[in-house]
Amino acid sequence: MKVVLGVTGGIAAYKACELLRLFTESGHQVRVVPTRDALRFVGEPTWAALSGQPVAADVWDDVHEVPHVRIGQGADLVVVAPSTADMLAKAAHGLAGDLLTNTLLTARCPVVFAPAMHTEMWQHPATRANVATLRERGAVVIDPAVGRLTGADTGPGRLPDPAEIFQVCLRVLRGAPRDLAGRRIVVSAGGTREAIDPVRYIGNRSSGLQGYSLARTAVARGAEVTLVAANVTLPDPAGATVVQAESTAELREAVLAAAADADVVVMAAAVADFRPSTRHESKIKKTDGEPEAIPLTKNPDILAELGELRGDARARGAGHPQVIVGFAAETDDVLANGRAKLARKGCDLLVVNQVGRDLAFGTPDNAATVLAADGDAVEVKRGPKDDVADAVWDLVAARLV
């Protein structure tokens, strides 16, 4: 695949070197098109050496090759990382004052922007309007991460991790449709932990890999994603707003708050069904004899509560149609247990998968059957967890009004 990597004049330009390396090492041919200001941060020899391709910033360089037309015409993907507020404005208004903006105008392939700027610039109404315009035209604009910016400033505006930008780009190159554009989506991932004492907890083996794949894929398909992560050690997916949670109570609070105006809620997290009735304030000491039993109490059923809230809103004639997706991890009688859970929970889709040794939890692959409330069932054969994510979003998109 031929990739054009546009680099603009921000301090995060040095991070684009890592993104370039990820593309080239995965077999893509990359042409770097920096702006003149970008070359103040990283010089032309660096880009040429890392890409193995000529580097130019001006339409007058190698004019006999007509680069301002040819580069965009021949690309399979254009990604601008970092993209400054200035570049977003130029792209939104169709300006063509240098090689990169000309390339954006001539490209008929997917375009991904990874903005990086100070918080005030990102939140300015002009920037928000430019982002909205680009998204309406089909571009993928990845929301920046929250973190340390230039100097002592902290806030939204940080360039996401290059590896996570790369993951979004791979999904776009695979032909991810833009069928979730403008949709607000909530995904939960990981596994909740219920404290026994300050040291010990009741938990499960969920790694969060499937939930994170769902979040990344939704971003690539154009959605605005809130990811509620319970005890996950994975890097934040580029473009998603990540909310951390530990216990079921914390996860419930975060999911319900984000779900209030969401179009889709996907409960991929493995939520603990029970918690200790009492949390010991100090570590339980080992003594002679058998340990005392730990009484348990039921946790709230978040998936069922989401279904009830949606039903209440419909009864009042309030809210908007919302698609709810649950997950069921089963060890035996997988489909029978899944169908019973689907009937109890009141969700639209239930992703049922078998778990156990080297199955689902912590593995890069998965297999599942997606059950629908209308009786349909779609089998997803074992493969990368991205395949399950794509299957889920295909079914969700078909149900969105």
Side-chain angles (χ1 to χ4, degrees):
M1 291 286 192
K2 294 182 179 180
V3 176
V4 174
L5 174 58
V7 185
T8 65
I11 188 65
Y14 75 94
K15 295 183 180 180
C17 295
E18 175 66 11
L19 182 58
L20 171 57
R21 184 188 66 80
L22 291 168
F23 274 119
T24 56
E25 289 189 355
S26 59
H28 296 88
Q29 179 182 322
V30 186
R31 177 76 181 263
V32 181
V33 181
T35 63
R36 288 196 175 279
D37 286 339
L39 295 176
R40 292 174 175 264
F41 294 95
V42 181
E44 179 271 334
T46 298
W47 299 122
L50 291 176
S51 68
Q53 298 289 325
V55 175
D58 199 297
V59 294
W60 300 107
D61 294 333
D62 299 318
V63 70
H64 65 287
E65 297 180 355
V66 199
H68 73 290
V69 173
R70 297 288 180 256
I71 294 175
Q73 285 179 335
D76 297 299
L77 173 72
V78 177
V79 53
V80 184
S83 178
T84 58
D86 180 66
M87 180 52 63
L88 293 174
K90 288 175 178 176
H93 290 84
L95 301 183
D98 61 8
L99 187 56
L100 179 54
T101 49
N102 274 270
T103 298
L104 289 169
L105 277 181
T106 57
R108 294 299 178 264
C109 60
V111 178
V112 176
F113 292 91
M117 63 198 71
H118 270 72
T119 301
E120 294 82 1
M121 300 173 74
W122 172 248
Q123 294 176 343
H124 194 282
T127 302
R128 304 309 302 160
N130 291 331
V131 168
T133 296
L134 291 169
R135 285 173 171 165
E136 287 170 4
R137 293 176 185 160
V140 176
V141 184
I142 302 172
D143 281 358
V146 176
R148 181 70 177 269
L149 307 174
T150 306
D153 292 344
T154 299
R158 182 183 177 89
L159 186 74
D161 186 277
E164 291 300 315
I165 298 173
F166 179 64
Q167 289 298 321
V168 172
C169 291
L170 287 184
R171 285 158 175 78
V172 173
L173 279 168
R174 284 176 56 184
R178 298 281 298 158
D179 50 4
L180 299 179
R183 300 293 188 173
R184 293 186 178 91
I185 289 176
V186 179
V187 178
S188 70
T192 59
R193 296 176 180 176
E194 307 299 333
I196 298 172
D197 61 22
V199 177
R200 305 174 181 91
Y201 62 85
I202 297 172
N204 58 62
R205 297 172 57 196
S206 178
S207 63
L209 287 169
Q210 185 64 76
Y212 273 54
S213 179
L214 284 157
R216 290 189 186 97
T217 304
V219 169
R221 293 172 80 145
E224 179 183 326
V225 180
T226 297
L227 175 63
V228 182
N231 307 294
V232 179
T233 58
L234 302 171
D236 291 350
T241 299
V242 181
V243 180
Q244 301 290 342
E246 181 173 0
S247 66
T248 298
E250 292 174 354
L251 186 101
R252 173 184 175 274
E253 180 180 3
V255 167
L256 293 183
D261 62 351
D263 299 293
V264 185
V265 183
V266 180
M267 286 294 297
V271 180
D273 294 323
F274 307 99
R275 69 181 186 277
S277 300
T278 302
R279 181 185 184 278
H280 291 259
E281 295 303 319
S282 57
K283 179 182 175 182
I284 301 172
K285 297 296 184 181
K286 182 169 64 175
T287 59
D288 294 336
E290 293 297 318
E292 293 184 9
I294 300 175
L296 300 177
T297 187
K298 283 186 177 181
N299 268 325
D301 189 329
I302 304 172
L303 183 58
E305 188 173 359
L306 287 166
E308 292 170 2
L309 290 171
R310 180 180 63 175
D312 292 344
R314 285 176 176 173
R316 297 193 309 270
H320 60 280
Q322 185 180 71
V323 178
I324 299 176
V325 183
F327 270 68
E330 303 290 344
T331 56
D332 42 43
D333 295 329
V334 175
L335 290 182
N337 288 331
R339 289 191 177 95
K341 182 173 181 177
L342 177 63
R344 293 195 311 270
K345 303 296 184 178
C347 50
D348 300 284
L349 300 168
L350 188 74
V351 184
V352 186
N353 55 0
Q354 186 171 13
V355 297
R357 187 177 183 85
D358 298 325
L359 290 175
F361 285 154
T363 66
D365 59 357
N366 201 0
T369 301
V370 186
L371 303 176
D374 58 13
D376 285 348
V378 175
E379 182 180 354
V380 185
K381 294 182 179 180
R382 183 161 303 282
K385 289 185 173 177
D386 287 351
D387 291 350
V388 175
D390 278 326
V392 170
W393 293 129
D394 287 346
L395 292 168
V396 167
R399 286 163 171 78
L400 288 169
V401 177

